[in-house]
Amino acid sequence: MKDVQSEKDLRHVPLKHVGVKELRWPVELRDKEKGTQHSVAKVSLAVDLPHDMRGTHMSRFVECLETMGPIGLHDMEAMLDQLKSKLQAQKAFLQLEFPYFITKAAPVSGRTCPMDIDCIYKAEKGEKFKLRVTAIIPMQTLCPCSKEISDYGAHNQRAWAKLEIEAVEMVWLEDLAAIADACASSPVYGLLKRPDEKFVTEHAYENPRFVEDAVREIALRLEMDKRITWYRAEVESQESIHNHNAFAVVEKRWK
Amino acid sequence: MKDVQSEKDLRHVPLKHVGVKELRWPVELRDKEKGTQHSVAKVSLAVDLPHDMRGTHMSRFVECLETMGPIGLHDMEAMLDQLKSKLQAQKAFLQLEFPYFITKAAPVSGRTCPMDIDCIYKAEKGEKFKLRVTAIIPMQTLCPCSKEISDYGAHNQRAWAKLEIEAVEMVWLEDLAAIADACASSPVYGLLKRPDEKFVTEHAYENPRFVEDAVREIALRLEMDKRITWYRAEVESQESIHNHNAFAVVEKRWK
Amino acid sequence: MKDVQSEKDLRHVPLKHVGVKELRWPVELRDKEKGTQHSVAKVSLAVDLPHDMRGTHMSRFVECLETMGPIGLHDMEAMLDQLKSKLQAQKAFLQLEFPYFITKAAPVSGRTCPMDIDCIYKAEKGEKFKLRVTAIIPMQTLCPCSKEISDYGAHNQRAWAKLEIEAVEMVWLEDLAAIADACASSPVYGLLKRPDEKFVTEHAYENPRFVEDAVREIALRLEMDKRITWYRAEVESQESIHNHNAFAVVEKRWK
Amino acid sequence: MKDVQSEKDLRHVPLKHVGVKELRWPVELRDKEKGTQHSVAKVSLAVDLPHDMRGTHMSRFVECLETMGPIGLHDMEAMLDQLKSKLQAQKAFLQLEFPYFITKAAPVSGRTCPMDIDCIYKAEKGEKFKLRVTAIIPMQTLCPCSKEISDYGAHNQRAWAKLEIEAVEMVWLEDLAAIADACASSPVYGLLKRPDEKFVTEHAYENPRFVEDAVREIALRLEMDKRITWYRAEVESQESIHNHNAFAVVEKRWK
């Protein structure tokens, strides 16, 4: 059978990426506490394509994916090496988006419960391996202005912190979630009993945070971590007094 | 050209619905205050199909849609009559989902601003015309338990009321939004200045509402409206202490 | 601490459902081939609430969920019994939405690969246990009209069949997927090599199907399965000549 | 009332962006053919914030938005100037995402019908004004490999081209859509009669295009337009033989 993809292309347009997207796949992820955990990922796989090749061989991406075991920092790099070799490419790209579960203990009762965060591993390798880790962690923000100007109460809401980092070593998703929790008016939890709810309510009231405050606190902590070479942090809150969101972004200054 | 759709079908399976979906279309909607307003709708159009006809003529649905002027109660019925006639069907179905803007005045400053609600008009006509109107109105709920057990503060969050009704006369989307606003810990607004924010914060603190409370208050108001022959009301809150939602539903008992 | 939820309610409005929604949870699902498989579910849990009780105890829903092991027909019923008892309710509701992976073999090369389908288990128990299983299976449809009127080619597209059933015994998700595959112009696959792609292309061209055809074929197969007491089947195709979809629905006639 | 936002901030963390997001707003857009058209946009508005200011004044973003008339290139810049002045900022950001309707004529019958494309205007102004226009245009791709290796037929599917450009002059959304249409196996349409469907089917079969082909054709056309200073083009197809998508990306090389 003719291999149309391997035809010579005369248009002189190199492709930055060619591959597959929106592919769902069961994954096993390396986990700080328990070794590994299961999840379901949305996967993108791609390579670059030189100007003179007409097409890539799409089925090989899925074949590479089938060889993937538990996923951590080094496993991502091994996958990219395999993609480069199998697709005869100079550069390979791999992105995994997945929900990840962290076991959290309620602040008073100590009751533990899994809570989901959304994560993205985005990796590429040409000469060098590069991995960007994103974690989106739900939190509570309580408005300092509302607290200050009101005789009682203060509007608060579910918000989330989106932490994107590049690092020289593995930074666990659990570590990123802990940073977000420390910078919120209060962390959020999967399971709270009444004494926990009292604690969370009062703790949030004692720690009012604009999105501007929360994102700055996160930035201070990310700056101090010597493993992290680049970051972007965003806090977005589903304002409970509006039908739109407030947000604030910090991005690391390159030196 | 052969008309494959009109072939005889021998499988003896009548179809409840056949038509088009996920069609976006610019619409002009009848509006209580200003006559009409513009929006963009996601549209479904369908008819039933007798067991012995192989297919319908999909392009005719779009042709019908092209004749549609400003949309209110009577215009929906006229569209269904046209669909029945043009598709030679016993029953026709039409659904429009769209964002709708209501002008709201801030509670102290009186500053007005548009705020969006999500709406659905779902209509069918066999012998009789039937229209179900859905309005999803954002609101704030403040937790009575959190207020009661805490020394200060109370968790609150953005929530929404989903009101679905069937009525013998037109019930305006603006009327449904007013009902939801009256049953919330506080309405939400597009634009609030500081005196408004103080008012909203304190008002919510004075009116704590579980989702159970808010949906019951809505049910009491819908029960009293003699135009409304059926309803389903749901309140869902994006709990600010959890990463999941709480919800409560009332459905009218048939007499 | 005061139990605000347990207060007497004087509004005389019973609630149909009260509970939690949009809760993500790692699940283990009973699987026809391999015993069990892991996935991540979006969960709703609810009970009814009598007219004279103010609120439910939301944390208990999550506590029930924590006890859940591998999920099949009988496990769903056991969960509902536990919810009824723990929440002192007359009726309990449980819904799980999750991606599920089926191993499919390519038609010529025999290469196997997991492919995702979207599934919903929706159960309730008052007096009796009731379970509705939904499977959304991707497929290909090729237009009979386009084939008939064109000198060559025929437009085809990704479509999906949504099968909803109620049954007296467990009907496996794998069985529902097999029905959808048999009724498509062609099944779709996770991994195809070139001889497979030739087969799939020609097979689809030899089996043109309107959405009306595919849904009727599905209905005939569901009618013949004596375990199934009710069904609704829908086929929706992402028309490759339009930016909207075509769809057709059959619903079992009650005798 | 105390202005908490205006407090001095001592954390020395400047914010790249602070503002509002997920705000829906009715908009009037400048249109190549008809002057203007109505749509509904999802809006983000933001400014930068110096390291020593605690917060921004969120309500002013909405106040600026209220002054916005019909939207084109120059109107975006005027909005940014207003944001900078009203928020006393060095940089301002504005993003609008909206469906946009283009009237297309069917290829044989000439029947016209609106068809939706998704668009984004993303603008910023510090010293200089910068506007990135994105248009996502649905199209059909027919697989050259499938056609070549099969005795009859060829799989095809709905795809979309995502064109992102920066330009020194206004490039109309209609122009971007025309480029995408010219590079597809076939354009897609809102309304086709049978002779049109025959034409579209045969035309696609005569013009097989991988995503790699389609995106290269688009790149060639964007390269030739002297107004365009940067572009990124992506074609993504909802493969009708798989449950995942294929995609290809070209990005302009900076000189």
Side-chain angles (χ1 to χ4, degrees), chain D residues 15-241:
Chain D
L15 299 184
K16 187 175 178 185
H17 295 134
V18 56
V20 297
K21 254 193 180 179
E22 302 290 325
L23 174 61
R24 284 197 297 185
W25 202 263
V27 289
E28 202 176 347
L29 299 152
R30 296 199 189 277
D31 173 313
K32 191 179 184 182
E33 312 293 343
K34 294 172 297 179
T36 63
Q37 67 170 265
H38 294 277
S39 189
V40 174
K42 201 165 68 178
V43 183
S44 300
L45 296 148
V47 292
D48 63 337
L49 192 72
H51 71 89
D52 57 351
M53 275 192 65
R54 181 161 183 203
T56 192
H57 292 87
M58 297 282 182
S59 64
R60 295 184 194 170
F61 292 105
V62 182
E63 288 171 342
C64 284
L65 199 53
E66 288 191 298
T67 66
M68 192 167 62
I71 302 162
L73 183 69
H74 298 297
D75 316 293
M76 295 289 285
E77 185 168 4
M79 265 295 285
L80 292 172
D81 287 331
Q82 194 191 335
L83 281 171
K84 283 173 66 176
S85 143
K86 198 149 182 183
L87 278 296
Q88 295 171 284
Q90 297 301 309
K91 269 192 153 184
F93 307 86
L94 169 58
Q95 181 171 314
L96 302 170
E97 289 184 59
F98 50 87
Y100 185 87
F101 291 89
I102 291 177
T103 303
K104 290 178 86 162
V108 178
S109 69
R111 289 286 305 266
T112 58
C113 181
M115 203 196 65
D116 57 310
I117 64 174
D118 277 304
C119 302
I120 306 170
Y121 287 166
K122 185 179 182 176
E124 63 174 75
K125 190 170 183 184
E127 301 281 295
K128 279 196 232 172
F129 174 63
K130 192 172 149 183
L131 175 64
R132 184 170 292 186
V133 172
T134 302
I136 301 171
I137 302 117
M139 55 159 58
Q140 190 189 143
T141 56
L142 184 140
C143 178
C145 170
S146 170
K147 177 181 173 180
E148 177 66 35
I149 63 180
S150 304
D151 294 339
Y152 33 81
H155 77 81
N156 51 72
Q157 51 269 317
R158 200 188 300 160
W160 54 87
K162 183 179 181 182
L163 277 61
E164 298 178 77
I165 63 156
E166 292 176 12
V168 287
E169 285 172 57
M170 185 66 184
V171 177
W172 290 102
L173 296 166
E174 288 82 352
D175 299 343
L176 296 176
I179 288 174
D181 279 358
C183 301
S185 290
S186 169
V188 301
Y189 300 88
L191 178 60
L192 296 172
K193 302 306 290 181
R194 244 172 303 162
D196 301 311
E197 187 173 353
K198 175 180 163 63
F199 180 90
V200 165
T201 302
E202 295 174 354
H203 182 76
Y205 193 79
E206 292 157 1
N207 292 279
R209 293 273 160 93
F210 291 124
V211 288
E212 294 96 322
D213 293 317
V215 82
R216 276 173 166 145
E217 293 295 327
I218 290 170
L220 292 178
R221 280 159 182 78
L222 293 174
E223 285 284 346
M224 288 188 331
D225 190 321
K226 295 304 164 209
R227 298 171 299 177
I228 295 173
T229 54
W230 175 87
Y231 67 84
R232 185 183 180 279
E234 176 168 358
V235 174
E236 180 173 348
S237 70
Q238 299 175 298
E239 296 292 288
S240 62
I241 59 172

Side-chain angles (χ1 to χ4, degrees), chain B residues 115-147:
Chain B
M115 202 197 65
D116 57 312
I117 63 174
D118 277 303
C119 302
I120 307 171
Y121 286 166
K122 184 179 183 175
E124 64 174 73
K125 189 170 185 184
E127 299 282 294
K128 278 196 233 172
F129 173 63
K130 194 173 146 183
L131 174 65
R132 185 170 291 184
V133 173
T134 302
I136 300 171
I137 302 115
M139 55 159 59
Q140 188 189 144
T141 56
L142 183 140
C143 179
C145 171
S146 169
K147 177 181 172 180

Side-chain angles (χ1 to χ4, degrees), chain A residues 146 151-152 189 202 206 242, chain B residues 151-152 189 201-202 206 242:
Chain A
S146 170
D151 293 339
Y152 33 79
Y189 299 88
E202 294 173 357
E206 291 157 1
H242 296 305
Chain B
D151 293 340
Y152 33 79
Y189 299 89
T201 302
E202 295 173 356
E206 291 157 1
H242 295 304

Side-chain angles (χ1 to χ4, degrees), chain B:
Chain B
M1 266 177 210
K2 200 173 151 193
D3 182 357
V4 185
Q5 282 86 350
S6 299
E7 284 173 0
K8 204 103 196 135
D9 203 282
L10 304 172
R11 284 170 288 202
H12 298 290
V13 182
L15 299 184
K16 187 176 177 182
H17 295 135
V18 55
V20 296
K21 255 191 180 180
E22 302 290 324
L23 174 61
R24 282 198 297 186
W25 201 262
V27 289
E28 202 177 346
L29 299 153
R30 296 198 189 277
D31 173 314
K32 191 179 184 182
E33 313 293 344
K34 295 172 296 181
T36 64
Q37 67 170 267
H38 295 276
S39 188
V40 174
K42 200 165 69 179
V43 183
S44 300
L45 296 148
V47 292
D48 63 337
L49 193 73
H51 71 88
D52 57 351
M53 277 192 62
R54 182 161 183 205
T56 193
H57 292 86
M58 297 283 182
S59 65
R60 294 184 194 170
F61 292 105
V62 182
E63 289 172 341
C64 283
L65 199 53
E66 288 191 299
T67 67
M68 193 166 62
I71 301 162
L73 184 68
H74 298 299
D75 316 293
M76 294 290 285
E77 186 167 5
M79 265 295 285
L80 292 172
D81 287 331
Q82 195 192 335
L83 280 171
K84 283 173 67 176
S85 146
K86 198 148 184 183
L87 278 297
Q88 295 171 285
Q90 297 301 309
K91 269 193 152 183
F93 307 85
L94 169 58
Q95 181 171 311
L96 303 170
E97 290 183 59
F98 50 86
Y100 185 86
F101 291 89
I102 290 178
T103 303
K104 289 178 87 163
V108 177
S109 70
R111 290 287 305 267
T112 58
C113 180
M115 202 197 65
D116 57 312
I117 63 174
D118 277 303
C119 302
I120 307 171
Y121 286 166
K122 184 179 183 175
E124 64 174 73
K125 189 170 185 184
E127 299 282 294
K128 278 196 233 172
F129 173 63
K130 194 173 146 183
L131 174 65
R132 185 170 291 184
V133 173
T134 302
I136 300 171
I137 302 115
M139 55 159 59
Q140 188 189 144
T141 56
L142 183 140
C143 179
C145 171
S146 169
K147 177 181 172 180
E148 177 66 35
I149 62 180
S150 305
D151 293 340
Y152 33 79
H155 78 80
N156 51 73
Q157 51 267 319
R158 200 189 297 162
W160 55 84
K162 183 179 182 183
L163 275 60
E164 298 179 76
I165 63 156
E166 292 176 13
V168 287
E169 286 173 56
M170 186 66 185
V171 177
W172 290 101
L173 296 166
E174 287 82 350
D175 299 342
L176 296 176
I179 288 175
D181 280 357
C183 301
S185 291
S186 170
V188 302
Y189 299 89
L191 178 60
L192 295 173
K193 302 306 289 182
R194 244 174 302 163
D196 300 311
E197 188 173 353
K198 174 180 164 61
F199 180 91
V200 165
T201 302
E202 295 173 356
H203 183 75
Y205 194 77
E206 291 157 1
N207 292 279
R209 294 274 161 92
F210 290 124
V211 288
E212 294 96 320
D213 293 316
V215 83
R216 277 174 165 144
E217 293 295 327
I218 290 170
L220 292 178
R221 280 159 182 79
L222 294 174
E223 285 284 346
M224 287 189 331
D225 190 322
K226 294 307 163 204
R227 299 170 299 178
I228 296 172
T229 54
W230 175 87
Y231 67 83
R232 186 184 181 279
E234 177 169 356
V235 174
E236 181 173 348
S237 68
Q238 298 175 299
E239 297 292 287
S240 62
I241 59 173
H242 295 304
N243 197 27
H244 57 259
N245 297 352
F247 78 109
V249 177
V250 180
E251 201 172 296
K252 191 184 173 65
R253 289 80 63 201
W254 295 103
K255 279 128 199 176

